[in-house]
Amino acid sequence: MTLTTVVGSSGSGKTTFLNSVYQDHKCIYIRQYHSMRPYIPVSKIPNFDATQLPYWDTYVKEETANTILVGGTMAGNFHAGLSGGQRKLLLFELVCQRTASQKDLLITLDEPFAGVTDDFVPFIVDRLNQMSEKHNVVLVTNDHVQTLTSMANNIITVSAVDRSVVQINDLPQPVDRRKAIMALKLGTNYRYEQGGKEKNAGNKNLHFFMDVEVYSNTVFKTTAYYFLALSFLFVGTFWNSD
């Protein structure tokens, strides 16, 4: 399997190139601004071992590992939790863990390490090497470019001057963009596995959903209480009526 790094100046069409790969092939696609529910406790994400995150020991030592949230803003509400760079690593590690037992997938990542500081580069390199042993990995990057291009099997350079062609490695002539996309065609269907040690994964996923979206959702509970109160008042209007 291979690791392909897509580079180019801002506005050259790197994300557009990945979008075309996603549209034409079966692949896992983590977008540049991929987001998660900010109020989810990281430790409760199903089929995910948060202890593998390179910064998780800090929360263990602070005894906040069970309560730290994904963090971020949703619907105008800010939820304190992980930083932007930490969330990028969380998504990346989630993909690594969920695909570790499979092979021959096409995994496309759009700027997965934006905001990630240099001290996490060894972790990134190790995980990418593991992933590229089993899968075809294509990533766009504006961060840690020298490290990621030096370890890549192929480097695709896109240009805003002529978007019909791309430069691949040190080939003397540019390559047609469509041909380059077709060269990335290897990719099988991702399977969300619930077997093995996770025999009750279906129940765990349902419990996770209910815990996060229902039991811990104050807006939902407030709405439900309000609805019940109005229902009782409505029923009460028929009290002693003929």
Side-chain angles (χ1 to χ4, degrees):
M1 300 290 99
T2 61
L3 170 63
T4 300
T5 302
V6 182
V7 296
S9 60
S10 297
S12 59
K14 299 185 296 295
T15 295
T16 303
F17 183 85
L18 275 198
N19 285 338
S20 296
V21 173
Y22 171 69
Q23 291 169 3
D24 290 359
H25 305 308
K26 297 175 181 177
C27 68
I28 295 171
Y29 187 18
I30 301 299
R31 300 178 185 275
Q32 182 177 354
Y33 300 108
H34 213 100
S35 61
M36 301 176 66
R37 294 271 199 276
Y39 47 78
I40 295 176
V42 177
S43 60
K44 291 187 178 182
I45 298 175
N47 302 332
F48 178 67
D49 182 7
T51 63
Q52 298 303 308
L53 292 167
Y55 51 77
W56 198 249
D57 284 346
T58 301
Y59 298 115
V60 173
K61 293 176 182 177
E62 294 175 351
E63 298 182 350
T64 58
N66 292 329
T67 58
I68 192 71
L69 304 180
V70 170
T73 302
M74 182 176 181
N77 296 317
F78 174 75
H79 300 264
L82 300 180
S83 68
Q86 288 177 319
R87 284 195 294 274
K88 286 283 188 177
L89 287 177
L90 168 62
L91 275 169
F92 177 61
E93 177 62 18
L94 183 62
V95 172
C96 291
Q97 293 187 23
R98 293 282 179 88
T99 60
S101 62
Q102 301 178 41
K103 63 179 182 178
D104 297 336
L105 297 173
L106 175 58
I107 301 173
T108 55
L109 309 169
D110 190 359
E111 297 197 31
F113 310 122
V116 177
T117 53
D118 292 342
D119 48 326
F120 294 120
V121 168
F123 170 81
I124 293 170
V125 170
D126 178 64
R127 286 294 192 269
L128 284 175
N129 282 329
Q130 292 179 26
M131 290 176 68
S132 59
E133 287 179 0
K134 294 182 178 181
H135 310 296
N136 274 351
V137 181
V138 183
L139 67 87
V140 162
T141 185
N142 280 326
D143 300 85
H144 316 299
V145 175
Q146 184 175 356
T147 298
L148 296 176
T149 53
S150 64
M151 66 182 295
N153 303 104
N154 298 293
I155 302 172
I156 297 177
T157 304
V158 297
S159 172
V161 177
D162 185 356
R163 298 195 181 193
S164 65
V165 295
V166 296
Q167 183 68 45
I168 300 179
N169 300 331
D170 296 323
L171 294 178
Q173 297 294 329
V175 177
D176 181 80
R177 184 175 181 274
R178 295 299 307 169
K179 289 183 178 180
I181 292 173
M182 290 305 297
L184 300 170
K185 67 180 179 179
L186 176 63
T188 59
N189 281 323
Y190 169 74
R191 303 182 308 278
Y192 181 62
E193 297 180 343
Q194 299 187 10
K197 297 180 180 179
E198 299 292 340
K199 293 182 179 180
N200 296 318
N203 292 334
K204 289 180 64 177
N205 291 341
L206 179 60
H207 177 74
F208 170 75
F209 172 81
M210 294 296 293
D211 186 35
V212 171
E213 300 293 352
V214 179
Y215 304 140
S216 301
N217 192 324
T218 56
V219 174
F220 177 84
K221 289 191 291 186
T222 300
T223 303
Y225 292 147
Y226 183 69
F227 174 78
L228 288 174
L230 289 180
S231 298
F232 280 121
L233 290 174
F234 176 74
V235 172
T237 60
F238 292 96
W239 188 261
N240 288 332
S241 62
D242 295 332

